[in-house]
Amino acid sequence: MASTKKTTAAKVQAPIDNRETFVSLQKSFADSDMPVEEKLKTLYQLQAADSEIDKIIQLRGELPAEVAALEEEIADLKERSAAISAVIDQLNRNIADAKLAIAEHESIIEKYQRQLETISNSREYDSLNKEIENQELLRQIGEKTINDTRMEISSKKSELEDLKDRLSIRTEDLAAKKTELENIVEETAKEEAVLRERREECAAKIDARTMSAYERIRASVHNRLAVVGIYNGDSCGGCFNTITPQRRVEIVSNKKLIICEHCGRIIINPDFAQ
Ligand SMILES: [Zn+2]
């Protein structure tokens, strides 16, 4: 999970670290038509809805990135395939050129050999023979070039095959990921709408000061939990620091808003979770 990768700062800066602010927050929290206990429960439900929304966004959040990475890889494979195909085309043209040159050497050799039959002068005879030898050498070089080029083409073709195999696998992966993403968006769209509605209902019941504190705490903690329960009977469910028995009694009595003195999160009665 992306959110847990972040390293927690040694001391989370408490959004409400000032005693006066904290006291006035407690006051404005209590100063409401709604009983404190119900308001605390509403805060718990608000956090629960927000956590579910976070999960949905996180679930989607990784898929679009995976789809984009696959699309990029596929584009790269296609580009490399096209480049290799172009090289193969060029090599085939080189072979065709070499074949033409060989035919040219052969026709010259043939022509000189016919001339040899009519020549009586030995100096001219030697010179023609020398020329035939040269043309024969050029013809052999041409043959070697063709053989080397054919080997090069064969190695390029196997490289191209590998790329095409990878391309076909990646194309299938992309189709699967896209379907998965579409399904998740489709499946979770309704769920998300319900959760957002529930969230708004809760938020409407909570006073502006508390809501603003809630948002600030959520934004400042790595796990996006502003409202936590009691962990293991005696610790803050957010930072796991020990809660004094006195504070624990205050929390379970549901009579006021309690903020963790270590991490600044709102600690509520764990019974609300049931
Ligand atoms: Zn804490």
Side-chain angles (χ1 to χ4, degrees):
M1 272 180 218
S3 63
T4 53
K5 270 185 210 157
K6 280 186 209 163
T7 49
T8 316
K11 183 185 181 294
V12 178
Q13 196 203 344
I16 306 149
D17 51 2
N18 175 310
R19 175 112 193 122
E20 232 173 43
T21 310
F22 172 54
V23 168
S24 64
L25 180 64
Q26 269 186 333
K27 235 180 237 163
S28 73
F29 186 80
D31 183 22
S32 160
D33 294 340
M34 198 195 287
V36 168
E37 180 172 342
E38 205 183 325
K39 220 170 164 187
L40 287 167
K41 251 183 213 172
T42 306
L43 265 181
Y44 169 78
Q45 287 160 356
L46 172 72
Q47 175 67 72
D50 273 341
S51 292
E52 288 301 311
I53 294 168
D54 287 348
K55 264 191 227 164
I56 289 174
I57 289 167
Q58 197 174 11
L59 196 65
R60 263 181 224 162
E62 287 163 20
L63 272 172
E66 284 171 12
V67 165
L70 277 171
E71 280 172 341
E72 203 175 302
E73 192 181 349
I74 286 170
D76 177 58
L77 287 172
K78 280 183 177 166
E79 208 174 289
R80 283 162 64 195
S81 298
I84 291 176
S85 293
V87 168
I88 292 173
D89 287 347
Q90 182 56 54
L91 292 173
N92 277 320
R93 282 196 295 274
N94 292 351
I95 288 180
D97 289 348
K99 278 181 177 169
L100 284 177
I102 286 170
E104 184 77 4
H105 297 313
E106 280 170 347
S107 97
I108 291 171
I109 290 168
E110 222 174 280
K111 190 180 84 187
Y112 287 164
Q113 270 166 350
R114 274 198 310 274
Q115 284 178 14
L116 275 181
E117 289 163 14
T118 63
I119 276 169
S120 47
N121 180 323
S122 79
R123 219 182 62 194
E124 253 184 76
Y125 189 90
D126 286 349
S127 149
L128 264 180
N129 260 333
K130 188 88 191 153
E131 202 47 49
I132 289 170
E133 247 174 64
N134 280 344
Q135 291 294 325
E136 178 58 28
L137 198 64
L138 291 172
R139 193 190 66 80
Q140 281 172 11
I141 291 171
E143 296 281 7
K144 189 177 182 304
T145 302
I146 291 174
N147 283 337
D148 290 351
T149 309
R150 280 188 178 139
M151 274 163 67
E152 207 180 329
I153 288 175
S154 147
S155 122
K156 288 285 170 199
K157 275 188 173 165
S158 89
E159 214 178 303
L160 190 60
E161 282 309 307
D162 285 350
L163 282 179
K164 282 188 171 160
D165 286 348
R166 280 172 59 192
L167 191 57
S168 106
I169 291 167
R170 288 295 179 249
T171 305
E172 276 175 35
D173 288 350
L174 178 63
K177 285 279 172 204
K178 271 188 166 171
T179 310
E180 200 183 332
L181 179 60
E182 279 161 18
N183 288 345
I184 285 174
V185 169
E186 199 183 326
E187 273 172 32
T188 55
K190 270 186 223 155
E191 198 187 336
E192 189 186 351
V194 170
L195 286 166
R196 289 205 183 271
E197 203 176 310
R198 189 183 305 162
R199 175 195 201 280
E200 289 319 308
E201 278 168 18
C202 294
K205 292 179 192 168
I206 295 169
D207 63 281
R209 255 189 88 81
T210 308
M211 267 317 284
S212 146
Y214 169 85
E215 298 291 8
R216 268 185 290 133
I217 301 167
R218 238 168 86 73
S220 71
V221 293
H222 70 94
N223 62 2
R224 312 256 297 146
L225 288 178
V227 179
V228 295
I230 298 174
Y231 174 76
N232 214 12
D234 67 351
S235 306
C236 164
C239 67
F240 308 112
N241 278 298
T242 308
I243 304 165
T244 61
Q246 163 63 24
R247 282 174 79 75
R248 200 189 171 281
V249 168
E250 284 181 331
I251 292 162
V252 294
S253 69
N254 308 324
K255 293 237 164 55
K256 59 180 177 179
L257 185 74
I258 303 291
I259 300 227
C260 174
E261 55 194 346
H262 302 284
C263 69
R265 289 178 175 93
I266 298 163
I267 309 177
I268 50 111
N269 191 336
D271 293 348
F272 293 164
Q274 269 115 52

